[in-house]
Amino acid sequence: MTALAHERPETMTEIRTEAECLPENGPGLDEALWQAWKAIDLPEGYRAEIIEGVIEVSPTARRSHGLITNRVRRALDKFLDGGEYACHQDVDVIHSRKAWIPDAFVAPEDTEPCGDEDDMGVRADSVQLIVEVVSPGKRNQDRDRVRKRREYARAGIPVYVVIDDYDGQGAVTLFTGPRPDRADWEDIHRVPYGTEVTIPEGPAKGFVVTEAITGPARAKK
């Protein structure tokens, strides 16, 4: 049996399944987490992800987070309109028994050929860009800035964008050139809110993250 320990951080409920909690002769950690994740029955308003050996269950976002996320989605949909790619939300991205729910991602408009073998979501190798909007609270911030940064690099996601109200007075960081072997990125470009960031490659090449998406610089935290 997989042991589950419950912890409630500042703004996120988390179910942690640690490797040392697994039976010595039981299934591998990835497979055990995968089966546990598939079996989770969450109440409305919560979502579960598998991030670096942990099942994390988080509530739906607060208003300001949702505002930026929806601006990104609408802008990307407009930019991609008429092509083979679209912006997606509220869909699991699957890679090697890991499962993530990005705030927004670009993948083929028709995701039918992109499903994983269990039909739980979209395979990471079909995803061309991921956008995460950082939520308040240290654990939430570390998730997008550190843990998901490494996971998306491991999966070879070509472009990762972090929109972060809590980085100074607001910042956008663009990650390109994933290095799966290092769980890191070749190129990292960070700018404050108010400075435009242009996607350099892929189906969203030329898309610009502007102040119209992020809003103006935030008050200093």
Side-chain angles (χ1 to χ4, degrees), residues 8-154:
R8 184 177 296 273
E10 296 161 276
T11 60
M12 177 181 69
T13 301
E14 184 180 79
I15 300 176
R16 300 182 64 83
T17 308
E18 306 291 358
E20 59 266 24
C21 295
L22 295 173
E24 184 177 351
N25 297 317
L29 174 61
D30 286 346
E31 185 63 26
L33 286 172
W34 179 253
Q35 297 302 329
W37 175 77
K38 289 200 300 181
I40 290 176
D41 184 14
L42 293 174
E44 185 177 354
Y46 285 83
R47 64 182 191 173
E49 301 174 279
I50 305 174
I51 305 172
E52 294 197 328
V54 175
I55 297 176
E56 296 191 10
V57 178
S58 55
T60 53
R62 62 172 58 186
R63 183 201 61 80
S64 58
H65 181 284
L67 179 65
I68 295 174
T69 299
N70 284 321
R71 286 173 179 164
V72 169
R73 178 186 55 79
R74 289 193 298 268
L76 275 168
D77 268 340
K78 183 177 180 180
F79 184 86
L80 297 166
D81 187 41
E84 298 179 0
Y85 288 83
C87 182
H88 301 269
Q89 285 180 315
D90 300 322
V91 178
D92 294 301
V93 173
I94 307 298
H95 175 70
S96 297
R97 294 310 204 225
K98 307 294 191 301
W100 313 302
I101 308 177
D103 290 319
F105 68 91
V106 172
E109 191 279 330
D110 178 11
T111 58
E112 184 68 27
C114 306
D116 69 292
E117 62 182 11
D118 291 338
D119 200 27
M120 299 297 294
V122 173
R123 297 191 318 275
D125 61 11
S126 67
V127 174
Q128 301 301 307
L129 177 148
I130 284 179
V131 180
E132 295 284 9
V133 179
V134 177
S135 296
K138 185 178 186 306
R139 190 180 299 278
N140 294 316
Q141 292 164 18
D142 286 347
R143 181 179 65 230
D144 293 334
R145 294 172 182 168
V146 181
R147 300 195 300 279
K148 279 193 169 181
R149 164 182 168 167
R150 292 190 296 242
E151 289 282 62
Y152 294 154
R154 291 184 184 107

Side-chain angles (χ1 to χ4, degrees), residues 140-176:
N140 294 316
Q141 292 164 18
D142 286 347
R143 181 179 65 230
D144 293 334
R145 294 172 182 168
V146 181
R147 300 195 300 279
K148 279 193 169 181
R149 164 182 168 167
R150 292 190 296 242
E151 289 282 62
Y152 294 154
R154 291 184 184 107
I157 301 297
V159 181
Y160 177 36
V161 177
V162 176
I163 300 175
D164 193 344
D165 276 3
Y166 308 95
D167 182 355
Q169 292 176 273
V172 179
T173 305
L174 172 69
F175 298 88
T176 55

